Amino acid sequence: MKRFQRTPKNLPYRRNVFILTEGEETEEAYLRIVERRFNLKEAVQLVFPCHESAIQALLDGANKVVKRKDYHARYGDEIWIVLDRDEKDHFIPQFKKLGKWEKDSTNFHVALSTPRFEYWLLLHFMEHPTKANALSDSFVEKLLPRFKHLPIGTPTITRENILKAIERANRREIPTCSTPDVLGTGMGVLLKSLPGIAQQ
């Protein structure tokens, strides 16, 4: 008797989430830790196709993802652009262009952090650090040593702290391409969209 073997067609589709980040190391290193803490690889594959500092370059990278053979919008694959407000380099007209891109598809998303991604990291340890100077690298360093190069085994980024950060971020207004100057972060929305975290 021939044994039944599962084929790829029998398996549930593992979604691809393409994340284009402004930072070259911190954001991806952090998300790899989240991936491990919640064992996300069973249901979703995080792909980091490019790291660019300019909004237009991130948009160009996102448009390239749409043409990839492993991007399947009909199966729920998503594209996220993760960036900081960065007032010195990112201007309102650029955010308008980014907002227009986001509205082009329900699979396109932006996770904006104002003033910086480090604000999101601080939310793992405290409630909305408006007085803690979210721009201070030295302050973040005290709570999260080597935050610029987060090792996969960083002990202080626990499942509990990640879920607390999501709660704290979602209790306040979240910056969008229309309102980029709102203090806050969209990282919690990104994480809650991932299978394995959404159910928490």
Side-chain angles (χ1 to χ4, degrees):
M1 187 168 129
K2 197 172 183 181
R3 292 187 64 186
F4 174 77
Q5 291 183 337
R6 296 182 76 181
T7 67
K9 289 182 180 179
N10 300 123
L11 295 171
Y13 180 72
R14 185 172 67 152
R15 281 173 47 203
N16 289 315
V17 177
F18 297 87
I19 304 174
L20 295 85
T21 65
E22 182 181 30
E24 291 186 12
E25 295 181 350
T26 310
E27 292 89 337
E28 180 175 350
Y30 170 81
L31 287 164
R32 290 298 185 196
I33 293 171
V34 172
E35 180 181 55
R36 193 176 203 183
R37 294 287 183 268
F38 289 89
N39 195 24
L40 298 182
K41 286 189 177 182
E42 290 186 2
V44 66
Q45 177 168 287
L46 303 185
V47 186
F48 297 87
C50 77
H51 308 283
E52 295 286 351
S53 57
I55 288 178
Q56 186 57 56
L58 288 167
L59 285 171
D60 291 343
N63 291 330
K64 288 178 182 176
V65 169
V66 172
K67 298 174 184 176
R68 287 175 54 143
K69 291 182 180 179
D70 56 347
Y71 173 72
H72 304 287
R74 67 185 180 279
Y75 295 141
D77 286 356
E78 296 182 344
I79 302 173
W80 283 82
I81 290 178
V82 174
L83 75 163
D84 298 345
R85 171 62 180 95
D86 201 354
E87 293 182 11
K88 293 179 181 178
D89 297 313
H90 300 159
F91 305 105
I92 295 300
Q94 295 173 315
F95 282 107
K96 287 182 179 177
K97 185 181 286 190
L98 190 59
K100 185 176 181 300
W101 168 83
E102 189 176 23
K103 289 178 182 177
D104 283 344
S105 170
T106 55
N107 303 78
F108 297 171
H109 308 281
V110 176
L112 174 63
S113 294
T114 302
R116 290 170 58 192
F117 183 77
E118 284 73 19
Y119 179 88
W120 165 251
L121 296 178
L122 287 174
L123 289 180
H124 288 62
F125 308 100
M126 64 181 65
E127 188 79 36
H128 295 282
T130 52
K131 296 180 180 179
N133 187 3
L135 288 172
S136 171
D137 285 359
S138 60
F139 186 78
V140 182
E141 182 78 35
K142 288 178 183 177
L143 292 168
L144 199 59
R146 296 168 60 198
F147 76 94
K148 287 289 185 185
H149 311 279
L150 289 169
I152 197 74
T154 301
T156 50
I157 300 182
T158 63
R159 285 173 62 108
E160 183 183 6
N161 281 353
I162 292 165
L163 293 173
K164 281 182 180 177
I166 292 172
E167 287 179 16
R168 288 168 178 153
N170 292 343
R171 276 202 286 267
R172 285 179 60 105
E173 191 176 352
I174 294 170
T176 67
C177 295
S178 301
T179 58
D181 293 321
V182 168
L183 179 67
T185 175
M187 283 299 299
V189 178
L190 188 167
L191 295 192
K192 285 296 282 186
S193 75
L194 301 176
I197 299 180
Q199 295 77 21
Q200 299 291 319

